[in-house]
Amino acid sequence: MIGKAGLFFTFTFSLFTFNMILSARWVLPLSAPPLLRGAVRICGDRIEAVGPLPRLLEESDGDSHLDLGNAILLPGLVNAHCHLDYTYLRAVGPDLDFPDWILELTRRKNTCAPDDFLNAARDGARECLRGGITTVADCTDSAHAAQALHEIGIRGISFPEVFGVDDRDPMEASLERLRQKEERLQPWLSDRVMPGISPHAPYSVRATLFEHLNRRSQDERLPLMIHLAESDDEVRALLGKQPWKSPIREGFVQWTAPGERPVAYMERLGLLRPGVTFIHCVQVTHEEIGRLAGSGAGVVTCPRSNAYLRTGIARLREMLDAGVKLGIGTDGACSSGPLSIFEEMRAAWLIQRSTGSPMTTRELVEMATHGGAKALGMEDQIGSLEPGKLADLTALSLDHPTTQGCEDPYDALVLCGSSESVLFTMVGGQAVWDPNRLFAGPCHAYSATEK
Ligand SMILES: [Zn+2]
């Protein structure tokens, strides 16, 4: 459990304003080319300057200086889609295809107590921090994940999930369950932990419910996150070509299929717009990618989850070339294993390369930082090292056995990076994961080893 002192420090030190220069062999601003012997000046919770170390030292007015040595300093990684409360449901049904896997996940969920979800979300959030992740966009059925994000000190958007597609289930019941989830979230919301809503997917949410939530989202400026075009089964179900198994009762869902492909369906409902983030988008055509790119909506890819569930390979090369706002996420531990963006980037790089549509390691790191921020509509605040942005940073050691000898910093991150080589994770100027006690001074808030 997290001691009360850990929470206390988190808030106490957020009131401090201090200046600090962090330097490293490599600084990756992402919005600009890599800086060899670069540095970042932090003031309070914001980045004040980014540039060559000699210049920042020259401008310094007695700032404390921490040199990380042979390391890469970069923006905190953005896990743009996760289910933290499923962290204890690892490796669900690895032999199952997608529709049956969902039934198995539901069965396993039903064996969990509320405390299991809360503790799972806490451990999942710690795992993210250890892996250099500073922002998590989290879909939550239990609605306990916001508390975990708050306690662990990681930035996030908590999207309570909404279900309700069967004609036998009134829409009011779905909205009442959402109201209860939002009530659970409420005490833990802040500038750091923000609310959204996740209408789960087009095969699990009816059109009128989508329309209602779309209106609420626009009225209250709440971001939406929707699983979309994940599997061929989904496309066929939406087109009315195959039934969909009900996760809550025997037999199939009773509904009128929209008769459209997923992207066209979302467009008709007015959901192809900024403020909406679609997860997966594996089963999309070239023409649909163009519509997604032009809409301003975000897309998040979860390649390990897609491989695990045999749902296909997302056309990431085409999406990037078309200008889709593209982020990357781990999805839940139930379909991906470790909540590691390093592993996710590496899987994406390997899969795309092996299928003849290679991406550069630079593009993968972009997706895991700036791209994720754009996909979530947070690019004004996070995702790159620029003056005025929040001081969300992490650093990777190049002296670790798995990273030694890497010459290119992007290659090091994508091909060799791991949680074990992360030196620290800083959120809003606070070192919330600091296993080496680099920040022994006022910015040390909480070490995720303290459980
Ligand atoms: Zn998901």
Side-chain angles (χ1 to χ4, degrees):
M1 292 289 292
I2 298 162
K4 279 198 165 60
L7 298 175
F8 174 75
F9 287 136
T10 297
F11 286 102
T12 302
F13 288 124
S14 68
L15 302 175
F16 274 73
T17 298
F18 61 93
N19 291 340
M20 164 178 264
I21 293 174
L22 286 172
S23 62
R25 177 177 163 202
W26 287 107
V27 169
L28 304 186
L30 268 297
S31 52
L35 292 162
L36 191 58
R37 297 304 300 150
V40 177
R41 186 168 63 244
I42 296 164
C43 180
D45 66 348
R46 299 273 165 178
I47 294 168
E48 204 173 62
V50 181
L53 177 61
R55 196 193 83 207
L56 263 63
L57 286 177
E58 203 179 292
E59 295 169 357
S60 169
D61 186 19
D63 303 329
S64 62
H65 175 206
L66 175 61
D67 184 21
L68 301 164
N70 192 23
I72 306 165
L73 182 62
L74 72 156
L77 301 174
V78 177
N79 186 353
H81 177 61
C82 193
H83 299 264
L84 290 173
D85 48 11
Y86 295 166
T87 302
Y88 289 168
L89 299 173
R90 292 196 194 267
V92 166
D95 304 325
L96 301 175
D97 281 343
F98 186 62
D100 287 325
W101 177 85
I102 290 197
L103 300 187
E104 177 62 9
L105 174 64
T106 307
R107 187 192 68 75
R108 292 271 302 271
K109 272 163 61 174
N110 290 340
T111 66
C112 297
D115 271 2
D116 294 336
F117 290 119
L118 177 57
N119 289 326
R122 284 172 173 148
D123 278 346
R126 287 188 189 100
E127 190 179 348
C128 288
L129 269 190
R130 291 189 188 107
I133 293 166
T134 51
T135 295
V136 182
D138 190 69
C139 291
T140 176
D141 187 19
S142 75
H144 285 299
Q147 181 176 352
L149 292 168
H150 166 86
E151 289 177 352
I152 305 303
I154 198 165
R155 193 177 306 287
I157 308 177
S158 190
F159 297 88
E161 289 188 302
V162 184
F163 300 89
V165 73
D166 200 300
D167 294 338
R168 292 164 288 185
D169 301 322
M171 186 165 115
E172 291 67 32
S174 297
L175 293 175
E176 172 56 22
R177 284 194 295 275
L178 172 61
R179 191 195 62 73
Q180 290 170 6
K181 291 178 188 181
E182 289 184 309
E183 208 171 82
R184 211 170 297 149
L185 247 62
Q186 196 58 39
W188 314 105
L189 298 178
S190 64
D191 288 348
R192 193 174 285 196
V193 181
M194 294 164 290
I197 299 177
S198 175
H200 175 256
Y203 56 82
S204 56
V205 174
R206 59 166 59 82
T208 48
L209 194 45
F210 269 123
E211 286 166 341
H212 175 88
L213 297 173
N214 194 20
R215 277 195 299 276
R216 242 199 90 187
S217 157
Q218 289 169 306
D219 291 347
E220 300 175 32
R221 300 179 68 82
L222 285 168
L224 297 181
M225 181 163 271
I226 303 167
H227 297 79
L228 191 76
E230 183 171 2
S231 68
D232 188 49
D233 292 293
E234 173 187 331
V235 177
R236 292 176 57 76
L238 261 59
L239 290 171
K241 292 182 177 173
Q242 75 178 49
W244 192 266
K245 288 178 185 169
S246 170
I248 53 172
R249 46 169 77 89
E250 286 291 313
F252 297 105
V253 165
Q254 281 184 17
W255 71 322
T256 306
E260 292 162 293
R261 291 178 54 82
V263 171
Y265 181 37
M266 292 294 103
E267 191 166 37
R268 178 165 64 79
L269 295 176
L271 285 157
L272 245 57
R273 61 170 178 82
V276 182
T277 307
F278 296 110
I279 312 308
H280 299 304
C281 293
V282 175
Q283 301 295 335
V284 291
T285 64
H286 179 75
E287 188 268 329
E288 288 166 346
I289 287 173
R291 278 195 270 167
L292 284 167
S295 71
V299 172
V300 176
T301 187
C302 307
R304 284 185 302 157
S305 178
N306 300 153
Y308 186 103
L309 297 168
R310 285 209 313 167
T311 54
I313 296 171
R315 300 158 76 154
L316 303 184
R317 177 76 274 148
E318 267 183 70
M319 288 197 211
L320 281 183
D321 292 346
V324 171
K325 295 177 183 175
L326 189 58
I328 191 166
T330 58
D331 212 343
C334 44
S335 62
S336 67
L339 303 178
S340 163
I341 286 292
F342 295 114
E343 295 214 14
E344 208 65 53
M345 288 193 291
R346 192 146 52 239
W349 187 86
L350 290 167
I351 292 168
Q352 296 291 321
R353 186 166 172 80
S354 66
T355 55
S357 306
M359 302 168 69
T360 64
T361 53
R362 164 79 175 76
E363 287 172 325
L364 264 308
V365 177
E366 158 76 22
M367 276 169 56
T369 52
H370 210 194
K374 286 183 200 164
L376 299 171
M378 297 176 74
E379 69 270 29
D380 291 347
Q381 297 294 317
I382 60 165
S384 58
L385 303 182
E386 293 181 73
K389 284 201 177 182
L390 287 160
D392 287 8
L393 297 95
T394 190
L396 191 89
S397 169
L398 289 169
D399 286 331
H400 190 268
T402 60
T403 54
Q404 275 175 345
C406 263
E407 291 185 348
D408 179 274
Y410 297 116
D411 291 352
L413 288 161
V414 174
L415 305 180
C416 310
S418 67
S419 300
E420 288 71 35
S421 45
V422 168
L423 288 172
F424 71 87
T425 305
M426 174 180 281
V427 179
Q430 300 169 336
V432 282
W433 167 236
D434 183 20
N436 305 298
R437 304 279 166 178
L438 296 168
F439 301 88
C443 64
H444 176 71
Y446 161 72
S447 167
T449 53
E450 295 162 11
K451 288 182 68 174

